[in-house]
Amino acid sequence: MNIPMLLQRPHQHFLKGLLRTPFRRYRFIFHPSPHLGSGILCAQLLSSPGLHWAKWMLPSNGLTRKLCLQTTLEEHTEGLSDKEQRLVDKLYAGLIQGQRACLAEAITLVESTHSRKKELAQVLLQKVLAHNREQEKLNKGKPLAFRVGLSGPPGAGKSTFIEYFGKMLTERGHKLSVLAVDPSSCTSGGSLLGDKTRMTELSRDMNAYIRPSPTRGTLGGVTRTTNEAILLCEGGGYDVILVETVGVGQSEFAVTDMVDMFILLLPPAGGDELQGIKRGIVEMADLVAITKSDGDLIVPARRIQAEYVSALKLLRRRSGVWRPKVIRISARSGEGITEMWDKMKEFQEVMLVSGELAAKRQKQQKVWMWNLIQENVIEHFRTHPAVREQIPLLEKRVLSGALSPGLAADLLLKAFKSRH
Ligand SMILES: Nc1nc2c(ncn2[C@@H]2O[C@H](COP(=O)(O)OP(=O)(O)OP(=O)(O)O)[C@@H](O)[C@H]2O)c(=O)[nH]1
């Protein structure tokens, strides 16, 4: 049902009352008078928990804008069929009881590109988030899981390390989940990262959950689903979450925005082999571990360690309480791995006590939100009818040099704004 409404300044108190009513089933069309404080109104509308659909009539030029499409858990739940409700309830119950099959199905739901499934995933996520918040309160505000990013060039020894490290953690009573981010799998359609065959023993361990990278979507899409998968794993009681990424491209940078601690694994190899490692990513590392420090490789491992110790000294400090460390490990002999875990726990502790961890997570939430907005806005722009039809021609003219890129961008933006 559509309910047209004229709002004027004296009616603001009426609006406040209205915002408290359960008007989920209605559609509201607001006609504010020109002098009405529209900013205040917008803010009130957007913060209204039940608002599902509203149209904003701009009286000056008659333009109709969809002001907001804000959906809430309550509304989603209301709109679910019995079958959908049963699915969400089943996944939620199974997930928080620690059933791996339910966690796997929940992550598949989050990764789905089907619009209805995406909605169901959001309902489930909201429930899991509420559960996680509750648990965190019981945990005296301490985060439920230690989120660790792990990156390194191909062949650095990541999977061998995860297998050893993961077994050590589960033997100590931890629950570990390994999530992979590999944007190359989006184009190639297949991924080895996080592949169970790479970590045969760990994948059989009931206290470990290994999830390969989704093979569809953009890097933005993959990071979104990985972020959501982290929350689901936390709901499932996993207290250590490793996010593994291959050391090429932008994926490691994306991962640093999802985790509490970022670890770089480097093989004891010369400069040539390490060229694939972007300098910037070394700067992001909280811990650098030189792998394969055993047998004949101990000597080169020591050399690389010394090189990185000096290199890190020159870098600007990112934390007031933690200095990045460089250690040597071997997943074959096990050397250095217990010490590595000790260092990781030390990092977590100092970051927690100093408040840097909470600040970092807050900042990450904001980055995550803006990344999603950025991706959606660009998509919206590209698919806008007025823009879409002009893109091929303008691109051609830019390529031939007949039009400057700046002017082409201006023209497209103008087309976007004029028929928005
Ligand atoms: N000597 C020695 N060799 C190792 C160690 N860890 C891994 N390797 C070897 O290094 C090679 C690469 O190891 P992986 O664990 O597959 O490396 P990765 O980084 O997962 O490689 P990608 O799957 O290509 O990303 C294998 O041949 C391993 O046997 C170690 O601690 N010591």
Side-chain angles (χ1 to χ4, degrees), residues 152-162 192-194 198-199 244-247 265 268 291-297 329-334 337:
K158 293 181 294 297
S159 38
T160 316
F161 164 75
I162 295 174
L192 277 178
L193 262 196
R198 289 162 78 235
M199 301 162 209
E244 181 199 7
T245 162
V246 72
L265 293 191
T291 56
K292 310 183 195 181
S293 178
D294 49 51
D296 292 347
L297 292 171
I329 55 167
S330 164
R332 204 161 269 179
S333 69
I337 296 190

Side-chain angles (χ1 to χ4, degrees), residues 97-153:
Q97 282 163 19
Q99 291 173 17
R100 283 206 304 187
C102 286
L103 173 64
E105 206 178 329
I107 298 180
T108 304
L109 199 62
V110 155
E111 286 172 357
S112 170
T113 47
H114 185 277
S115 64
R116 185 62 182 166
K117 286 190 177 158
K118 271 162 111 175
E119 278 173 20
L120 290 186
Q122 290 309 314
V123 179
L124 178 65
L125 267 171
Q126 286 298 330
K127 277 172 92 92
V128 174
L129 263 179
H131 166 80
N132 291 0
R133 266 202 306 272
E134 245 352 270
Q135 293 297 311
E136 235 170 67
K137 261 192 223 150
L138 295 175
N139 210 13
K140 298 196 180 80
K142 209 176 153 214
L144 297 181
F146 186 14
R147 306 172 183 168
V148 181
L150 195 77
S151 187

